[in-house]
Amino acid sequence: MQSHAKDLRSFLEILDKRWPGEVLRVDTHGKAFDIAACDAAAFLAKLQSSGKRPVTLFRGFKTLSGEIWEGELLFSELATLRKQAAAMDLDGEVNFQDLAQEFSRRNRLTQKPVKITASEAPIHQTVVTGARMSLFDLPVYRKDEFDAKPGWLCAVGIGREPDSGRYNLSWHRLHVHSAAHASARINPRHLMEYMNRYRAKGYDKMPVAFALGHHPAFEVAAGSNCAWGVDEYEFAG
């Protein structure tokens, strides 16, 4: 299948159209449901124990700020071969061997990202800056009983190498400490090397973005290895 520019919405539309029931939407309005108390994880564990692993979207829950989250919180978007194949634009049911071969083939290909204007970008539909920004307004969650409190966010970190301009994508679990602070563990790989290069140039900070809610293919790219010289935006393409 020819691949075109896509986002998470289009991915969910494909699943809804081809496999009704593959996307489960859970409305928690008015229910005793607390994502920071592992309730989402308990719900997913119950589903898995019954042999079900749909993409699951929770809505209507409260954030740490006490406000109702206006969006949805997504889990299990890549939990099965079917969903992994859909993320790669493959038609129909695909076995593991075929999926692995196609993934290996695409590892050798790159495609430059499609650039769109800020006015067209869905991410700019809502913009919060300055004093209005609060991590407590985001869906901070806990997965296990002994997870650190108040909770976590899990996002793809995006860093830019200062000389070549190469972008790196990598998964990071962000421990939220307060409304204004979170910490991330940076392993000794590309992003840490970028930090060292910024430091060598006399900078005490490195610009970085954390993306949540991207297309699953972007997430796969962020969790995969590619050559040092390959821009990971293009690798995701």
Side-chain angles (χ1 to χ4, degrees), residues 138-156:
L138 297 177
V140 177
Y141 76 101
R142 288 170 60 242
K143 186 177 73 70
D144 298 303
E145 180 183 1
F146 295 107
D147 267 358
K149 295 181 179 181
W152 304 80
L153 294 166
C154 194
V156 174

Side-chain angles (χ1 to χ4, degrees), residues 4-10 112-125 214 233:
H4 302 285
K6 289 180 172 63
D7 58 16
L8 182 57
R9 293 181 181 92
S10 63
K112 292 187 179 299
V114 176
K115 293 185 178 181
I116 59 176
T117 63
S119 61
E120 297 176 296
I123 196 171
H124 287 287
Q125 290 174 355
H214 212 302
Y233 273 163

Side-chain angles (χ1 to χ4, degrees), residues 25 72 96 114 154 162 169-170:
R25 293 174 172 86
E72 294 177 312
F96 174 79
V114 176
C154 194
L169 312 177
S170 52

